[in-house]
Amino acid sequence: MMEPVIQLERVTRACGAVRGVFDLSFTVGRGEVVGFLGANGAGKSVTMRLLMGFVRADGGRATLGGRPCFADRAAIQREVGYLPGELALPGDMTGRSFLEFVAGMRGTALPPRANALIDYFELDPSAKLRTMSKGTRQKVGIVAAFMHGPAVLLLDEPTSGLDLLMQRRFVELVQAEKRRGATILLSSHLLGEVEGTCDRALFVRSGRLTSEARTADLTLDATLEHLYGAEALRRRWGETAEERAAGDRPAVPFGPAGPSRSPSSSEKGGAR
């Protein structure tokens, strides 16, 4: 049994009547990489913010390394590598000045590892953040999360905006961090990204944990069923509500050439 590092026990955080997380429990062991999958609005980002101590749980207990996330939020925010799903960066700063600012908030100078990451992701850190494309800003966020070699990483849609080459390099970086012994919780819509990095996947729907699977067992259809339910896969363009209610057809495998075949491993993509 792995030593638990990330732990939620019956955590609830309501964001309105139907959004948030409800009675959520799971554990990520030391050195484990776990995918956290759900549709938009399922509660993934709320969970990440709870773990970072940005918001307080209404009930239950959330801990990182045995420390309560909200009570010890200052230390957790210094130590954990966090990449939010929506990056809000100060436009007047350059990439380098922002990274130096983040390092200063952690009480250090810009670590040498930052320059290695800048080179690896082909980032020009001299540009102003407001002039950068979404993908380039995402690279800045990745460097900020990884540059201090954290023991724990919380990554919320980490490859959003990256091109295919940079997505591949990110997967290789996460694989290297796993070998280093980092504990990682990674939310994603991309099956290939989860397959390439994670030991197992947790599925959340409407703020509740619904299932868990080994990544080796996942296919695109299985992932979609975990995310949305079998009934959602049966819906077809042009059907009326009455036809859907009367129908009892199996879900049809989806592939790039249409619904006639299942995708091969190299064709598996995201559920966006």
Side-chain angles (χ1 to χ4, degrees), residues 2 59 152 215 245:
M2 289 183 179
V152 178
T215 53

Side-chain angles (χ1 to χ4, degrees), residues 219-242:
T219 63
L220 179 56
D221 287 322
T223 300
L224 290 171
E225 186 166 337
H226 280 297
L227 290 173
Y228 304 104
E231 183 59 34
L233 299 191
R234 295 191 178 96
R235 186 165 184 175
R236 298 289 174 264
W237 171 251
E239 277 187 329
T240 66
E242 292 77 12

Side-chain angles (χ1 to χ4, degrees), residues 8-25 36 41-62 69-70 73 204-209:
L8 283 85
E9 301 173 76
R10 306 196 67 176
V11 169
T12 292
R13 167 71 187 195
C15 304
V18 296
R19 296 183 67 131
V21 294
F22 307 96
D23 204 30
L24 185 63
S25 298
F36 192 46
K44 303 185 302 296
S45 295
V46 173
T47 303
M48 296 286 191
R49 290 176 60 78
L50 280 163
L51 289 168
M52 285 298 294
F54 293 136
V55 294
R56 186 200 296 264
D58 299 327
R61 186 167 181 261
C69 292
F70 191 77
R73 59 191 180 278
V204 63
R205 194 189 311 168
S206 300
R208 300 180 186 276
L209 192 68

